[in-house]
Amino acid sequence: MRVLRKGGKFTDSRIRFYSKKAIVFSILGVFVVLFSLYGNSPQIGLVAVAILVVLFKINFRRWQSWSRGKMGESAVTRALCGLPDEYVLLNDLMLPDGKGNVDHLVIGPSGLFVIETKNYSGNVKCDRDDWFVNGQKIRSLSRQAKRNAMAIRANLEKVFVEQQSRIPFVNALIVFTSRRGCLNLNQPTVPVLRPFELATFIRDYESNGRRTEGFSSELTRSIVHHLHLLQQKPDDLLRKNQLLRVFMAKSDASNRETQDPTSLRE
């Protein structure tokens, strides 16, 4: 399998964001404690410390969650390395209009697969589209995975039209990477897998009893190019387009000189 986008920028940015906030709240807590000890308002200091402790815990837990998520994404990437070279992997794709991100997208002979990675520990229960972790209901993981798959399909529609190909269904998958997690599944609406099952599932996947025809190398390149463009910031994209136009202009001028008989020396 070829990894054409390593990703991790979105996850790393979240980890840095919450770690900085946790550090700031812990430092503020120290200053408030010192102020309350040497000041004349210990009660106000205690209330402020209590608030800062709560804020620190919230951000520390979010930092832990995103850090575990990064470990899970790395585990899925390693598991996908068992796929043949006809498969392409793109990690950490930002969706347009700030609608979140896709952890992994696999493109290959068996189709398109959007993979949502979770690294929950504890008891995870699924009842169709309803999800619970340690008895607490959480946002539907299956609906999230299906929304991401539909967003990818909508953004690739233009590519398939230009290539005169029928756009396929984008398959949504959920992968749980934590060994400490216990899964209790009741008719999940998307496939739920462990990392060791992932490569075999994708390689042998058949839609409605039929295997897809796969994608030509040209179509695969077009898909990858289109998705890479979506990840560019407007300024970076403008700069690259300007460089591309300059390169194409020089290339056209060189071709005209080569084809012009008067430019050839006797």
Side-chain angles (χ1 to χ4, degrees), residues 232-250:
Q232 302 295 326
K233 296 180 180 179
D235 292 342
D236 294 339
L237 186 57
L238 178 61
R239 191 180 305 111
K240 288 186 177 182
N241 286 337
Q242 289 172 343
L243 292 174
L244 180 61
R245 284 196 294 269
V246 170
F247 173 80
M248 293 300 295
K250 290 182 178 179

Side-chain angles (χ1 to χ4, degrees), residues 201-212:
F201 179 90
I202 291 176
R203 186 176 60 245
D204 299 337
Y205 183 80
E206 295 181 355
S207 178
N208 296 324
R210 296 184 302 171
R211 190 172 179 83
T212 59

Side-chain angles (χ1 to χ4, degrees), residues 36-144:
S36 62
L37 289 175
Y38 297 100
N40 297 322
S41 53
Q43 292 181 343
I44 295 176
L46 289 174
V47 172
V49 168
I51 294 173
L52 290 171
V53 168
V54 171
L55 293 173
F56 169 80
K57 286 184 176 180
I58 290 172
N59 286 278
F60 182 75
R61 287 170 182 168
R62 289 177 178 174
W63 171 82
Q64 283 185 315
S65 177
W66 281 100
S67 297
R68 287 195 298 264
K70 183 176 181 178
M71 293 172 60
E73 291 174 9
S74 299
V76 168
T77 299
R78 290 193 299 270
L80 289 169
C81 288
L83 290 171
D85 287 341
E86 298 97 321
Y87 287 85
V88 169
L89 173 63
L90 302 174
N91 294 314
D92 193 19
L93 294 172
M94 295 296 297
L95 295 174
D97 303 323
K99 294 181 179 179
N101 78 311
V102 169
D103 293 334
H104 314 275
L105 173 67
V106 175
I107 307 167
S110 54
L112 292 170
F113 299 86
V114 163
I115 303 171
E116 185 69 26
T117 301
K118 297 299 176 186
N119 197 20
Y120 293 136
S121 57
N123 295 315
V124 180
K125 180 182 177 181
C126 167
D127 184 11
R128 298 187 64 83
D129 275 325
D130 294 325
W131 289 82
F132 306 83
V133 176
N134 295 326
Q136 298 293 320
K137 188 170 184 179
I138 62 172
R139 183 177 60 176
S140 176
L141 304 181
S142 48
R143 288 196 180 104
Q144 178 187 359

